[in-house]
Amino acid sequence: MNHNPILCAIDTAEMPRARSLIEALSSAVGGVKLGLEFFAAHGPEGVRLAAGNQANVFLDLKLHDIPNTVAGAVRAALALDPLFVTLHCAGGAAMMRAAVAARDDRRTRLLGVTVLTSLDDSDLAATGQNGPAEAQVQRLALLAKSAGLDGVVCSPQEVAMLRQSCGKDFLLVVPGIRPAGAALGDQKRVQTPRAAIAAGADYLVIGRPITEAPDPVAAARAILAEIA
Ligand code: C5P
């Protein structure tokens, strides 16, 4: 692996905390993830302010709307030159193709969100989706690939399956990572950084094991050492 695969999830709406974490971690991680909580509170200007010198920002916006609207949102987000932007695969092939066209030749990679891990098979059935969840994840990832998306966000349990079905160049970005012995928090099905990379993950999204460690920089470096 010739890049630092750790993307630190900065899950806070507090600007001072986001800024200080991102600044401290700048040389220890490959990028940072800012999601809807932060974006709803601070908007694009807030992202610029918090990111500072960190060039690799994963904007986890989980876009899902008609193609024209999602294309417009992607175009607007490009002003921030993010490393990744997310959109829901369930928005359909035309929506994903419109996002890819809007991205044009910029470096930003577009990642699909398949089935939220908060949903189980009965939730899928209640929303008229064919389960089991694993089959739906596979279906949506293949749809994303055929629509031109660069990859998907997936759980540690799905990495090996999607690496097999979507090929070696499809980006697999994986949350639910816990170093051996770390607190699980609300994560139930986790994998260690080393196991996730071995299964085929390109990037690891890691939040609390870094952000809530007494020394976040040391925690990030220890995880990197575990992978190397
Ligand atoms: O603190 P922790 O390492 O659990 O943070 C993981 C990050 O990845 C959070 O931002 C969480 O919202 C996100 N995520 C996840 N599971 C998914 C999708 C995203 O934990 N299936």
Side-chain angles (χ1 to χ4, degrees):
M1 174 143 310
N2 54 13
H3 66 280
N4 182 332
I6 301 173
L7 302 173
C8 185
I10 308 293
D11 289 319
T12 177
E14 288 172 34
M15 179 63 82
R17 173 153 169 80
R19 285 185 72 170
S20 64
L21 269 172
I22 293 172
E23 191 184 347
L25 288 167
S26 63
S27 63
V29 299
V32 296
K33 181 172 89 78
L34 291 169
L36 285 172
E37 183 181 355
F38 184 89
F39 199 75
H42 302 290
E45 266 319 305
V47 173
R48 275 193 195 93
L49 189 63
N53 294 327
Q54 173 53 260
N56 291 328
V57 174
F58 172 177
L59 264 190
D60 193 11
L61 298 181
K62 295 192 171 66
L63 304 171
H64 188 172
D65 210 314
I66 60 170
N68 188 54
T69 300
V70 166
V74 167
R75 238 176 264 118
L78 288 175
L80 293 167
D81 190 32
L83 178 66
F84 297 131
V85 173
T86 49
L87 53 158
H88 275 281
C89 302
M95 184 203 80
M96 292 189 273
R97 283 196 303 270
V100 172
R103 183 271 310 274
D104 199 19
D105 62 355
R106 304 287 293 271
R107 71 143 187 170
T108 299
R109 302 289 101 187
L110 298 174
L111 301 178
V113 174
T114 57
V115 177
L116 294 173
T117 44
S118 51
L119 305 177
D120 62 18
D121 290 350
S122 66
D123 295 311
L124 290 185
T127 53
Q129 299 176 69
N130 288 331
E134 194 173 274
Q136 178 68 347
V137 166
Q138 177 94 275
R139 190 180 297 128
L140 288 171
L142 289 169
L143 185 68
K145 189 178 180 205
S146 68
L149 257 56
D150 302 289
V152 291
V153 180
C154 67
S155 82
Q157 281 65 41
E158 297 151 359
V159 182
M161 168 184 84
L162 294 181
R163 180 55 70 215
Q164 177 81 22
S165 59
C166 297
K168 69 175 176 38
D169 296 328
F170 198 61
L171 290 172
L172 299 178
V173 177
V174 183
I177 300 297
R178 288 293 178 270
L184 295 188
D186 53 5
Q187 298 282 12
K188 292 192 182 108
R189 292 186 305 272
V190 301
Q191 219 167 53
T192 63
R194 183 195 277 269
I197 293 289
D202 296 295
Y203 287 90
L204 308 177
V205 176
I206 308 176
R208 289 160 290 179
I210 295 174
T211 58
E212 290 181 5
D215 182 345
V217 174
R221 293 223 163 99
I223 292 169
L224 198 57
E226 182 191 323
I227 300 164

